[in-house]
PDB file of all heavy atoms in Angstrom:
ATOM      1  N   ALA A   1     175.982-116.588 -13.902  1.00 95.00           N
ATOM      2  CA  ALA A   1     174.532-116.531 -14.013  1.00 95.00           C
ATOM      3  C   ALA A   1     173.996-115.227 -13.471  1.00 95.00           C
ATOM      4  O   ALA A   1     172.941-114.714 -13.903  1.00 95.00           O
ATOM      5  CB  ALA A   1     173.908-117.671 -13.329  1.00 95.00           C
ATOM      6  N   ARG A   2     174.716-114.580 -12.517  1.00 89.00           N
ATOM      7  CA  ARG A   2     174.272-113.344 -11.921  1.00 89.00           C
ATOM      8  C   ARG A   2     174.429-112.175 -12.856  1.00 89.00           C
ATOM      9  O   ARG A   2     173.798-111.134 -12.719  1.00 89.00           O
ATOM     10  CB  ARG A   2     175.074-113.059 -10.660  1.00 89.00           C
ATOM     11  CG  ARG A   2     174.939-114.043  -9.522  1.00 89.00           C
ATOM     12  CD  ARG A   2     175.806-113.581  -8.369  1.00 89.00           C
ATOM     13  NE  ARG A   2     175.717-114.534  -7.267  1.00 89.00           N
ATOM     14  CZ  ARG A   2     176.373-114.405  -6.107  1.00 89.00           C
ATOM     15  NH1 ARG A   2     177.167-113.363  -5.930  1.00 89.00           N
ATOM     16  NH2 ARG A   2     176.246-115.291  -5.144  1.00 89.00           N
ATOM     17  N   SER A   3     175.357-112.307 -13.834  1.00 75.00           N
ATOM     18  CA  SER A   3     175.662-111.134 -14.679  1.00 75.00           C
ATOM     19  C   SER A   3     175.890-111.479 -16.122  1.00 75.00           C
ATOM     20  O   SER A   3     176.735-110.819 -16.753  1.00 75.00           O
ATOM     21  CB  SER A   3     176.881-110.497 -14.094  1.00 75.00           C
ATOM     22  OG  SER A   3     178.046-111.454 -14.107  1.00 75.00           O
ATOM     23  N   VAL A   4     175.169-112.464 -16.615  1.00 57.00           N
ATOM     24  CA  VAL A   4     175.377-112.850 -18.006  1.00 57.00           C
ATOM     25  C   VAL A   4     175.003-111.752 -19.008  1.00 57.00           C
ATOM     26  O   VAL A   4     175.618-111.543 -20.034  1.00 57.00           O
ATOM     27  CB  VAL A   4     174.662-114.137 -18.357  1.00 57.00           C
ATOM     28  CG1 VAL A   4     173.139-113.968 -18.315  1.00 57.00           C
ATOM     29  CG2 VAL A   4     175.060-114.684 -19.709  1.00 57.00           C
ATOM     30  N   ARG A   5     173.993-110.980 -18.619  1.00 57.00           N
ATOM     31  CA  ARG A   5     173.600-109.849 -19.479  1.00 57.00           C
ATOM     32  C   ARG A   5     173.160-108.689 -18.604  1.00 57.00           C
ATOM     33  O   ARG A   5     172.663-108.869 -17.493  1.00 57.00           O
ATOM     34  CB  ARG A   5     172.388-110.231 -20.370  1.00 57.00           C
ATOM     35  CG  ARG A   5     172.754-111.302 -21.453  1.00 57.00           C
ATOM     36  CD  ARG A   5     171.525-111.686 -22.185  1.00 57.00           C
ATOM     37  NE  ARG A   5     171.825-112.660 -23.206  1.00 57.00           N
ATOM     38  CZ  ARG A   5     170.950-113.362 -23.858  1.00 57.00           C
ATOM     39  NH1 ARG A   5     169.654-113.111 -23.707  1.00 57.00           N
ATOM     40  NH2 ARG A   5     171.300-114.320 -24.749  1.00 57.00           N
ATOM     41  N   ALA A   6     173.323-107.495 -19.070  1.00 49.00           N
ATOM     42  CA  ALA A   6     172.973-106.336 -18.302  1.00 49.00           C
ATOM     43  C   ALA A   6     171.484-106.297 -18.008  1.00 49.00           C
ATOM     44  O   ALA A   6     171.074-105.814 -16.993  1.00 49.00           O
ATOM     45  CB  ALA A   6     173.403-105.068 -19.050  1.00 49.00           C
ATOM     46  N   ARG A   7     170.680-106.804 -18.951  1.00 55.00           N
ATOM     47  CA  ARG A   7     169.202-106.670 -18.768  1.00 55.00           C
ATOM     48  C   ARG A   7     168.540-107.791 -18.048  1.00 55.00           C
ATOM     49  O   ARG A   7     167.402-107.701 -17.648  1.00 55.00           O
ATOM     50  CB  ARG A   7     168.546-106.534 -20.135  1.00 55.00           C
ATOM     51  CG  ARG A   7     168.627-107.784 -21.028  1.00 55.00           C
ATOM     52  CD  ARG A   7     168.166-107.506 -22.428  1.00 55.00           C
ATOM     53  NE  ARG A   7     168.245-108.648 -23.325  1.00 55.00           N
ATOM     54  CZ  ARG A   7     167.311-109.525 -23.423  1.00 55.00           C
ATOM     55  NH1 ARG A   7     166.151-109.409 -22.780  1.00 55.00           N
ATOM     56  NH2 ARG A   7     167.462-110.501 -24.291  1.00 55.00           N
ATOM     57  N   ARG A   8     169.330-108.889 -17.754  1.00 68.00           N
ATOM     58  CA  ARG A   8     168.682-109.998 -17.012  1.00 68.00           C
ATOM     59  C   ARG A   8     169.764-110.911 -16.411  1.00 68.00           C
ATOM     60  O   ARG A   8     170.817-111.042 -16.937  1.00 68.00           O
ATOM     61  CB  ARG A   8     167.686-110.797 -17.834  1.00 68.00           C
ATOM     62  CG  ARG A   8     168.379-111.719 -18.857  1.00 68.00           C
ATOM     63  CD  ARG A   8     167.334-112.614 -19.543  1.00 68.00           C
ATOM     64  NE  ARG A   8     167.881-113.421 -20.554  1.00 68.00           N
ATOM     65  CZ  ARG A   8     168.273-114.673 -20.397  1.00 68.00           C
ATOM     66  NH1 ARG A   8     168.241-115.233 -19.183  1.00 68.00           N
ATOM     67  NH2 ARG A   8     168.768-115.364 -21.383  1.00 68.00           N
ATOM     68  N   ARG A   9     169.363-111.578 -15.347  1.00 86.00           N
ATOM     69  CA  ARG A   9     170.166-112.625 -14.780  1.00 86.00           C
ATOM     70  C   ARG A   9     169.552-113.961 -15.173  1.00 86.00           C
ATOM     71  O   ARG A   9     168.390-114.014 -15.456  1.00 86.00           O
ATOM     72  CB  ARG A   9     170.217-112.573 -13.249  1.00 86.00           C
ATOM     73  CG  ARG A   9     170.979-111.339 -12.720  1.00 86.00           C
ATOM     74  CD  ARG A   9     170.964-111.384 -11.185  1.00 86.00           C
ATOM     75  NE  ARG A   9     171.755-110.291 -10.610  1.00 86.00           N
ATOM     76  CZ  ARG A   9     172.020-110.186  -9.353  1.00 86.00           C
ATOM     77  NH1 ARG A   9     171.504-111.057  -8.488  1.00 86.00           N
ATOM     78  NH2 ARG A   9     172.742-109.183  -8.876  1.00 86.00           N
ATOM     79  N   VAL A  10     170.393-115.009 -15.196  1.00 95.00           N
ATOM     80  CA  VAL A  10     169.874-116.333 -15.448  1.00 95.00           C
ATOM     81  C   VAL A  10     169.576-116.989 -14.088  1.00 95.00           C
ATOM     82  O   VAL A  10     170.466-117.013 -13.198  1.00 95.00           O
ATOM     83  CB  VAL A  10     170.908-117.161 -16.224  1.00 95.00           C
ATOM     84  CG1 VAL A  10     170.391-118.605 -16.409  1.00 95.00           C
ATOM     85  CG2 VAL A  10     171.167-116.579 -17.563  1.00 95.00           C
ATOM     86  N   PRO A  11     168.375-117.409 -13.855  1.00 96.00           N
ATOM     87  CA  PRO A  11     168.043-118.030 -12.538  1.00 96.00           C
ATOM     88  C   PRO A  11     168.833-119.274 -12.285  1.00 96.00           C
ATOM     89  O   PRO A  11     169.261-120.032 -13.233  1.00 96.00           O
ATOM     90  CB  PRO A  11     166.552-118.334 -12.660  1.00 96.00           C
ATOM     91  CG  PRO A  11     166.256-118.462 -14.129  1.00 96.00           C
ATOM     92  CD  PRO A  11     167.208-117.482 -14.788  1.00 96.00           C
ATOM     93  N   VAL A  12     169.066-119.586 -10.984  1.00 97.00           N
ATOM     94  CA  VAL A  12     169.886-120.720 -10.574  1.00 97.00           C
ATOM     95  C   VAL A  12     169.094-121.677  -9.689  1.00 97.00           C
ATOM     96  O   VAL A  12     168.343-121.189  -8.822  1.00 97.00           O
ATOM     97  CB  VAL A  12     171.178-120.230  -9.853  1.00 97.00           C
ATOM     98  CG1 VAL A  12     171.822-121.408  -9.154  1.00 97.00           C
ATOM     99  CG2 VAL A  12     172.108-119.563 -10.853  1.00 97.00           C
ATOM    100  N   VAL A  13     169.252-122.926  -9.899  1.00 98.00           N
ATOM    101  CA  VAL A  13     168.759-123.973  -8.985  1.00 98.00           C
ATOM    102  C   VAL A  13     170.003-124.729  -8.519  1.00 98.00           C
ATOM    103  O   VAL A  13     170.807-125.161  -9.346  1.00 98.00           O
ATOM    104  CB  VAL A  13     167.720-124.936  -9.635  1.00 98.00           C
ATOM    105  CG1 VAL A  13     167.453-126.099  -8.735  1.00 98.00           C
ATOM    106  CG2 VAL A  13     166.441-124.162  -9.910  1.00 98.00           C
ATOM    107  N   VAL A  14     170.116-124.944  -7.228  1.00 98.00           N
ATOM    108  CA  VAL A  14     171.276-125.676  -6.616  1.00 98.00           C
ATOM    109  C   VAL A  14     170.763-126.982  -6.121  1.00 98.00           C
ATOM    110  O   VAL A  14     169.753-127.099  -5.411  1.00 98.00           O
ATOM    111  CB  VAL A  14     171.927-124.844  -5.519  1.00 98.00           C
ATOM    112  CG1 VAL A  14     172.886-125.714  -4.732  1.00 98.00           C
ATOM    113  CG2 VAL A  14     172.544-123.559  -6.006  1.00 98.00           C
ATOM    114  N   HIS A  15     171.545-128.027  -6.440  1.00 97.00           N
ATOM    115  CA  HIS A  15     171.266-129.348  -5.736  1.00 97.00           C
ATOM    116  C   HIS A  15     172.528-129.710  -4.974  1.00 97.00           C
ATOM    117  O   HIS A  15     173.648-129.802  -5.560  1.00 97.00           O
ATOM    118  CB  HIS A  15     170.972-130.473  -6.770  1.00 97.00           C
ATOM    119  CG  HIS A  15     170.673-131.765  -6.068  1.00 97.00           C
ATOM    120  ND1 HIS A  15     171.647-132.652  -5.714  1.00 97.00           N
ATOM    121  CD2 HIS A  15     169.447-132.304  -5.655  1.00 97.00           C
ATOM    122  CE1 HIS A  15     171.105-133.717  -5.128  1.00 97.00           C
ATOM    123  NE2 HIS A  15     169.789-133.479  -5.083  1.00 97.00           N
ATOM    124  N   GLU A  16     172.364-130.002  -3.698  1.00 95.00           N
ATOM    125  CA  GLU A  16     173.488-130.437  -2.810  1.00 95.00           C
ATOM    126  C   GLU A  16     173.342-131.909  -2.515  1.00 95.00           C
ATOM    127  O   GLU A  16     172.310-132.367  -1.984  1.00 95.00           O
ATOM    128  CB  GLU A  16     173.465-129.629  -1.524  1.00 95.00           C
ATOM    129  CG  GLU A  16     174.502-130.107  -0.503  1.00 95.00           C
ATOM    130  CD  GLU A  16     175.920-130.087  -1.078  1.00 95.00           C
ATOM    131  OE1 GLU A  16     176.361-129.045  -1.638  1.00 95.00           O
ATOM    132  OE2 GLU A  16     176.565-131.139  -0.964  1.00 95.00           O
ATOM    133  N   ALA A  17     174.412-132.682  -2.872  1.00 92.00           N
ATOM    134  CA  ALA A  17     174.356-134.157  -2.732  1.00 92.00           C
ATOM    135  C   ALA A  17     174.720-134.617  -1.357  1.00 92.00           C
ATOM    136  O   ALA A  17     174.306-135.588  -0.878  1.00 92.00           O
ATOM    137  CB  ALA A  17     175.271-134.784  -3.760  1.00 92.00           C
ATOM    138  N   ASN A  18     175.620-133.826  -0.702  1.00 88.00           N
ATOM    139  CA  ASN A  18     176.240-134.296   0.563  1.00 88.00           C
ATOM    140  C   ASN A  18     175.539-133.716   1.765  1.00 88.00           C
ATOM    141  O   ASN A  18     174.791-132.719   1.720  1.00 88.00           O
ATOM    142  CB  ASN A  18     177.717-133.937   0.593  1.00 88.00           C
ATOM    143  CG  ASN A  18     178.510-134.706  -0.490  1.00 88.00           C
ATOM    144  OD1 ASN A  18     178.507-135.955  -0.459  1.00 88.00           O
ATOM    145  ND2 ASN A  18     179.147-133.993  -1.364  1.00 88.00           N
ATOM    146  N   ALA A  19     175.870-134.345   2.926  1.00 86.00           N
ATOM    147  CA  ALA A  19     175.282-133.913   4.178  1.00 86.00           C
ATOM    148  C   ALA A  19     175.904-132.589   4.663  1.00 86.00           C
ATOM    149  O   ALA A  19     175.371-131.924   5.584  1.00 86.00           O
ATOM    150  CB  ALA A  19     175.432-134.989   5.224  1.00 86.00           C
ATOM    151  N   SER A  20     177.039-132.255   4.081  1.00 86.00           N
ATOM    152  CA  SER A  20     177.700-130.960   4.411  1.00 86.00           C
ATOM    153  C   SER A  20     178.103-130.270   3.146  1.00 86.00           C
ATOM    154  O   SER A  20     178.983-130.721   2.418  1.00 86.00           O
ATOM    155  CB  SER A  20     178.950-131.278   5.292  1.00 86.00           C
ATOM    156  OG  SER A  20     179.608-130.074   5.604  1.00 86.00           O
ATOM    157  N   ALA A  21     177.398-129.173   2.877  1.00 89.00           N
ATOM    158  CA  ALA A  21     177.589-128.465   1.552  1.00 89.00           C
ATOM    159  C   ALA A  21     178.975-127.920   1.419  1.00 89.00           C
ATOM    160  O   ALA A  21     179.557-127.411   2.428  1.00 89.00           O
ATOM    161  CB  ALA A  21     176.551-127.395   1.424  1.00 89.00           C
ATOM    162  N   GLY A  22     179.531-127.959   0.190  1.00 87.00           N
ATOM    163  CA  GLY A  22     180.825-127.381  -0.083  1.00 87.00           C
ATOM    164  C   GLY A  22     180.709-125.888  -0.386  1.00 87.00           C
ATOM    165  O   GLY A  22     179.573-125.308  -0.424  1.00 87.00           O
ATOM    166  N   LEU A  23     181.890-125.259  -0.587  1.00 87.00           N
ATOM    167  CA  LEU A  23     181.885-123.763  -0.757  1.00 87.00           C
ATOM    168  C   LEU A  23     181.083-123.320  -1.951  1.00 87.00           C
ATOM    169  O   LEU A  23     180.354-122.358  -1.948  1.00 87.00           O
ATOM    170  CB  LEU A  23     183.364-123.348  -0.836  1.00 87.00           C
ATOM    171  CG  LEU A  23     183.588-121.840  -1.134  1.00 87.00           C
ATOM    172  CD1 LEU A  23     182.956-120.984  -0.036  1.00 87.00           C
ATOM    173  CD2 LEU A  23     185.053-121.520  -1.276  1.00 87.00           C
ATOM    174  N   ALA A  24     181.272-124.024  -3.085  1.00 90.00           N
ATOM    175  CA  ALA A  24     180.590-123.595  -4.317  1.00 90.00           C
ATOM    176  C   ALA A  24     179.088-123.519  -4.140  1.00 90.00           C
ATOM    177  O   ALA A  24     178.488-122.553  -4.506  1.00 90.00           O
ATOM    178  CB  ALA A  24     180.953-124.550  -5.469  1.00 90.00           C
ATOM    179  N   ASN A  25     178.528-124.579  -3.587  1.00 94.00           N
ATOM    180  CA  ASN A  25     177.087-124.563  -3.388  1.00 94.00           C
ATOM    181  C   ASN A  25     176.582-123.598  -2.299  1.00 94.00           C
ATOM    182  O   ASN A  25     175.479-123.116  -2.334  1.00 94.00           O
ATOM    183  CB  ASN A  25     176.547-126.002  -3.080  1.00 94.00           C
ATOM    184  CG  ASN A  25     176.328-126.799  -4.357  1.00 94.00           C
ATOM    185  OD1 ASN A  25     176.470-126.310  -5.474  1.00 94.00           O
ATOM    186  ND2 ASN A  25     175.987-128.075  -4.217  1.00 94.00           N
ATOM    187  N   ARG A  26     177.446-123.361  -1.392  1.00 93.00           N
ATOM    188  CA  ARG A  26     177.097-122.345  -0.370  1.00 93.00           C
ATOM    189  C   ARG A  26     177.015-120.926  -1.053  1.00 93.00           C
ATOM    190  O   ARG A  26     176.108-120.139  -0.732  1.00 93.00           O
ATOM    191  CB  ARG A  26     178.162-122.269   0.742  1.00 93.00           C
ATOM    192  CG  ARG A  26     178.092-123.524   1.690  1.00 93.00           C
ATOM    193  CD  ARG A  26     179.148-123.417   2.786  1.00 93.00           C
ATOM    194  NE  ARG A  26     179.169-124.610   3.556  1.00 93.00           N
ATOM    195  CZ  ARG A  26     178.410-124.872   4.617  1.00 93.00           C
ATOM    196  NH1 ARG A  26     177.522-123.923   4.992  1.00 93.00           N
ATOM    197  NH2 ARG A  26     178.452-125.991   5.288  1.00 93.00           N
ATOM    198  N   VAL A  27     177.963-120.680  -1.921  1.00 92.00           N
ATOM    199  CA  VAL A  27     177.851-119.412  -2.699  1.00 92.00           C
ATOM    200  C   VAL A  27     176.616-119.412  -3.586  1.00 92.00           C
ATOM    201  O   VAL A  27     175.913-118.420  -3.616  1.00 92.00           O
ATOM    202  CB  VAL A  27     179.155-119.211  -3.532  1.00 92.00           C
ATOM    203  CG1 VAL A  27     179.002-118.023  -4.469  1.00 92.00           C
ATOM    204  CG2 VAL A  27     180.355-119.070  -2.634  1.00 92.00           C
ATOM    205  N   GLY A  28     176.429-120.489  -4.315  1.00 95.00           N
ATOM    206  CA  GLY A  28     175.257-120.547  -5.262  1.00 95.00           C
ATOM    207  C   GLY A  28     173.936-120.443  -4.556  1.00 95.00           C
ATOM    208  O   GLY A  28     173.003-119.782  -5.094  1.00 95.00           O
ATOM    209  N   ALA A  29     173.833-121.006  -3.339  1.00 96.00           N
ATOM    210  CA  ALA A  29     172.554-121.006  -2.617  1.00 96.00           C
ATOM    211  C   ALA A  29     172.136-119.587  -2.183  1.00 96.00           C
ATOM    212  O   ALA A  29     170.952-119.307  -1.984  1.00 96.00           O
ATOM    213  CB  ALA A  29     172.649-121.912  -1.402  1.00 96.00           C
ATOM    214  N   MET A  30     173.138-118.708  -2.054  1.00 94.00           N
ATOM    215  CA  MET A  30     172.817-117.344  -1.593  1.00 94.00           C
ATOM    216  C   MET A  30     171.891-116.577  -2.602  1.00 94.00           C
ATOM    217  O   MET A  30     171.094-115.760  -2.141  1.00 94.00           O
ATOM    218  CB  MET A  30     174.110-116.565  -1.372  1.00 94.00           C
ATOM    219  CG  MET A  30     175.011-117.080  -0.299  1.00 94.00           C
ATOM    220  SD  MET A  30     176.643-116.336  -0.249  1.00 94.00           S
ATOM    221  CE  MET A  30     176.185-114.598   0.157  1.00 94.00           C
ATOM    222  N   SER A  31     171.940-116.878  -3.828  1.00 93.00           N
ATOM    223  CA  SER A  31     171.088-116.188  -4.847  1.00 93.00           C
ATOM    224  C   SER A  31     170.228-117.122  -5.618  1.00 93.00           C
ATOM    225  O   SER A  31     169.641-116.683  -6.616  1.00 93.00           O
ATOM    226  CB  SER A  31     171.960-115.377  -5.739  1.00 93.00           C
ATOM    227  OG  SER A  31     172.934-116.173  -6.439  1.00 93.00           O
ATOM    228  N   ALA A  32     170.158-118.386  -5.284  1.00 97.00           N
ATOM    229  CA  ALA A  32     169.370-119.371  -6.076  1.00 97.00           C
ATOM    230  C   ALA A  32     167.902-119.172  -5.871  1.00 97.00           C
ATOM    231  O   ALA A  32     167.476-118.822  -4.790  1.00 97.00           O
ATOM    232  CB  ALA A  32     169.794-120.791  -5.644  1.00 97.00           C
ATOM    233  N   ARG A  33     167.182-119.516  -6.951  1.00 97.00           N
ATOM    234  CA  ARG A  33     165.719-119.484  -6.827  1.00 97.00           C
ATOM    235  C   ARG A  33     165.183-120.619  -5.964  1.00 97.00           C
ATOM    236  O   ARG A  33     164.229-120.455  -5.207  1.00 97.00           O
ATOM    237  CB  ARG A  33     165.088-119.578  -8.228  1.00 97.00           C
ATOM    238  CG  ARG A  33     165.379-118.403  -9.103  1.00 97.00           C
ATOM    239  CD  ARG A  33     164.569-117.191  -8.792  1.00 97.00           C
ATOM    240  NE  ARG A  33     164.761-116.139  -9.772  1.00 97.00           N
ATOM    241  CZ  ARG A  33     163.964-115.911 -10.833  1.00 97.00           C
ATOM    242  NH1 ARG A  33     162.921-116.656 -11.060  1.00 97.00           N
ATOM    243  NH2 ARG A  33     164.272-114.864 -11.661  1.00 97.00           N
ATOM    244  N   ARG A  34     165.801-121.782  -6.118  1.00 98.00           N
ATOM    245  CA  ARG A  34     165.480-122.968  -5.272  1.00 98.00           C
ATOM    246  C   ARG A  34     166.741-123.671  -4.878  1.00 98.00           C
ATOM    247  O   ARG A  34     167.654-123.751  -5.684  1.00 98.00           O
ATOM    248  CB  ARG A  34     164.547-123.883  -6.060  1.00 98.00           C
ATOM    249  CG  ARG A  34     163.252-123.291  -6.523  1.00 98.00           C
ATOM    250  CD  ARG A  34     162.147-123.244  -5.440  1.00 98.00           C
ATOM    251  NE  ARG A  34     161.644-124.583  -5.160  1.00 98.00           N
ATOM    252  CZ  ARG A  34     160.637-125.170  -5.842  1.00 98.00           C
ATOM    253  NH1 ARG A  34     160.086-124.542  -6.924  1.00 98.00           N
ATOM    254  NH2 ARG A  34     160.217-126.358  -5.460  1.00 98.00           N
ATOM    255  N   VAL A  35     166.762-124.207  -3.658  1.00 98.00           N
ATOM    256  CA  VAL A  35     167.870-125.022  -3.161  1.00 98.00           C
ATOM    257  C   VAL A  35     167.326-126.388  -2.781  1.00 98.00           C
ATOM    258  O   VAL A  35     166.449-126.480  -1.967  1.00 98.00           O
ATOM    259  CB  VAL A  35     168.525-124.358  -1.923  1.00 98.00           C
ATOM    260  CG1 VAL A  35     169.660-125.199  -1.445  1.00 98.00           C
ATOM    261  CG2 VAL A  35     169.028-122.962  -2.324  1.00 98.00           C
ATOM    262  N   LEU A  36     167.865-127.404  -3.451  1.00 98.00           N
ATOM    263  CA  LEU A  36     167.422-128.806  -3.258  1.00 98.00           C
ATOM    264  C   LEU A  36     168.584-129.582  -2.633  1.00 98.00           C
ATOM    265  O   LEU A  36     169.743-129.260  -2.822  1.00 98.00           O
ATOM    266  CB  LEU A  36     167.015-129.421  -4.595  1.00 98.00           C
ATOM    267  CG  LEU A  36     166.094-128.527  -5.512  1.00 98.00           C
ATOM    268  CD1 LEU A  36     165.836-129.285  -6.783  1.00 98.00           C
ATOM    269  CD2 LEU A  36     164.781-128.262  -4.765  1.00 98.00           C
TER     270      LEU A  36
END
């Protein structure tokens, strides 16, 4: 989503289900528009 096209990125929303976030969502949350 960060680099799908040279002219724009696709925005990201992350939803974390657990009380302790996993690695994937930790990475996603760094550039997400909203973190839920």
Side-chain angles (χ1 to χ4, degrees):
R2 295 180 183 180
S3 57
V4 66
R5 292 178 184 169
R7 65 189 179 91
R8 72 173 177 95
R9 293 181 175 185
V10 176
V12 167
V13 169
V14 170
H15 182 276
E16 175 54 53
N18 293 301
S20 179
L23 176 60
N25 275 357
R26 289 180 185 275
V27 171
M30 294 171 64
S31 58
R33 295 285 184 95
R34 301 277 288 275
V35 179
L36 313 177

